[in-house]
Amino acid sequence: MSPTPPLIAHVIHHLHIGGLENGLINLINRIPETRYRHVIICMDDFSDFRDRLQREDVEVIAIHKKPGRDPAAKWRLYWQFRQLKPDILHSRNLSGLDALLPALLAGVKHRLHGEHGRDIDDLDGNNRKLQWLRRLHRPLIEHYIPLSQDLERYLTDKIGIDQSRITQIYNGVDTERFRPAPIGGTMLPVKGFSDADAIVIGTVGRFQSVKDQLNLAEGFIQLLEKYPDLKKTARLVMIGDGPLREPVLERLNVAGYADLVWAPGPMNDIDTLLPALDIFVLPSLAEGISNTLLEAMACGLPIIATAVGGNPELVIDGVNGTLIPAADSQAMAEALKQYLDNPERLKKEGSEGRRRAEEQFSITAMVESYLSVYDRMLS
């Protein structure tokens, strides 16, 4: 009888639609069942996003932690670890730090922590309180995995982690699933958005302050008010849900451009919708390594992204896209205008993005990198 594979307990804030969550599910789905078992522990809760797991042996547990200090949640974590007996704890981001002490007390020998992006209260990484909180947890963590070089520098320079305890791993993208539109193009399921002369600007993400879709909306409004002839061709697609969705759409409606916008809410067929866009925009105030940005690159789309976090590691300005300052709607409008004026640039930069996705951000390389860290910890 073959030995039971080691168990990894992945602790995250919640399992809803999001980049971190998508990356975790991609990782679990691609690790051979003979190598590792998995359990996902959500500090908050989970949604039907868990249905994307392709392995039936992966349990998803909700701790239902209350906002702020919740000692009872740590006791629940402790007893979960005592029952599960994981070989490795893999916590992620700020909320995952709460799992480290319960795991230590429960006898979890190997504790790994991932940094996937900035906290909403610490967009530039200079929040002293959060720096000290992470320093306080340093002795409980055996190894760190930041998703970007930007986050790696944060760990070494601000948190004081030795380079030997860090392995930086980029997210990977499935370039077979996410690929450019076939000959003849891909149609969007809305009238006027797949016409031959339409140029479709799109974004995908949860409508929350850090993603700053309002900046894209403002840039789109400024573009059309300054160049009214573009109303004939410019279209805006905003996919996702969240607390700021209605305010963003109301702003576009008040400006009189609701008929030029398609906002269908959350969608499960992003791989079929992205190739129907002409330009992908990521207007975030902070980012780690965006899964959706990588997916757009794999679909052969030129990128307009804010020059924050890990975005400059994916988007080379003038090569496969354009980097602009965060929260600058005028810069957004100007960048959009440059692409609308130059269709050849769309094709050239889109092709270069596809090449970078294939050569530098493969999902196979990502999985092998994680496996190497897990194997090394257990050995």
Side-chain angles (χ1 to χ4, degrees), residues 297 301-303 314-316 318-322 339 349 352-353 356:
M297 288 169 55
L301 301 180
I303 308 295
L314 304 184
V315 180
I316 308 302
V319 176
N320 68 308
T322 299
Y339 285 101
E349 293 188 3
E352 181 61 24
R356 282 177 57 76

Side-chain angles (χ1 to χ4, degrees), residues 69-199:
R69 295 175 59 86
D70 185 359
K74 292 194 174 184
W75 275 110
R76 292 195 291 275
L77 279 168
Y78 169 79
W79 286 111
Q80 286 291 346
F81 293 139
R82 284 290 298 258
Q83 294 173 20
L84 293 166
K85 295 181 172 56
D87 299 275
I88 297 174
L89 165 71
H90 187 164
S91 57
R92 290 166 170 84
N93 282 356
L94 190 64
S95 61
L97 296 176
D98 283 336
L100 292 166
L101 183 58
L104 172 69
L105 297 176
V108 181
K109 183 177 180 181
H110 301 288
R111 297 174 299 279
L112 173 68
H113 185 71
E115 291 288 349
H116 287 241
R118 299 289 190 200
D119 305 301
I120 187 60
D121 296 326
D122 189 24
L123 297 179
D124 57 5
N126 289 327
N127 185 308
R128 294 293 183 87
K129 178 180 178 181
L130 296 184
Q131 288 177 15
W132 278 109
L133 183 62
R134 285 181 165 88
R135 290 171 187 164
L136 184 66
H137 286 86
R138 283 182 306 192
L140 306 178
I141 299 170
E142 180 179 345
H143 204 75
Y144 290 83
I145 296 182
L147 260 63
S148 66
Q149 295 176 24
D150 172 63
L151 291 169
E152 181 178 12
R153 287 190 294 270
Y154 172 75
L155 289 175
T156 56
D157 298 348
K158 300 291 180 67
I159 313 303
I161 308 301
D162 189 89
Q163 191 67 48
S164 63
R165 296 172 61 193
I166 299 175
T167 301
Q168 189 259 313
I169 301 176
Y170 285 120
N171 281 339
V173 60
D174 185 343
T175 55
E176 289 301 313
R177 179 185 173 199
F178 292 91
R179 54 189 310 111
I183 296 174
T186 300
M187 303 287 287
L188 286 170
V190 57
K191 185 178 179 181
F193 279 66
S194 297
D195 297 346
D197 57 347
I199 297 181

Side-chain angles (χ1 to χ4, degrees), residues 13-16 42-47 61-64:
H13 179 60
H14 57 211
L15 189 59
H16 296 168
C42 305
M43 296 301 298
D44 183 15
D45 205 345
F46 56 87
S47 69
I61 299 168
I63 296 298
H64 300 294

Side-chain angles (χ1 to χ4, degrees), residues 226-259:
K226 189 172 183 180
Y227 306 100
D229 286 348
L230 290 178
K231 297 176 188 177
K232 301 174 185 177
T233 56
R235 301 292 182 268
L236 179 61
V237 171
M238 307 184 86
I239 299 173
D241 203 354
L244 298 184
R245 180 174 180 270
E246 291 307 319
V248 170
L249 297 184
E250 179 62 18
R251 175 69 183 103
L252 289 160
N253 183 50
V254 169
Y257 301 126
D259 59 328

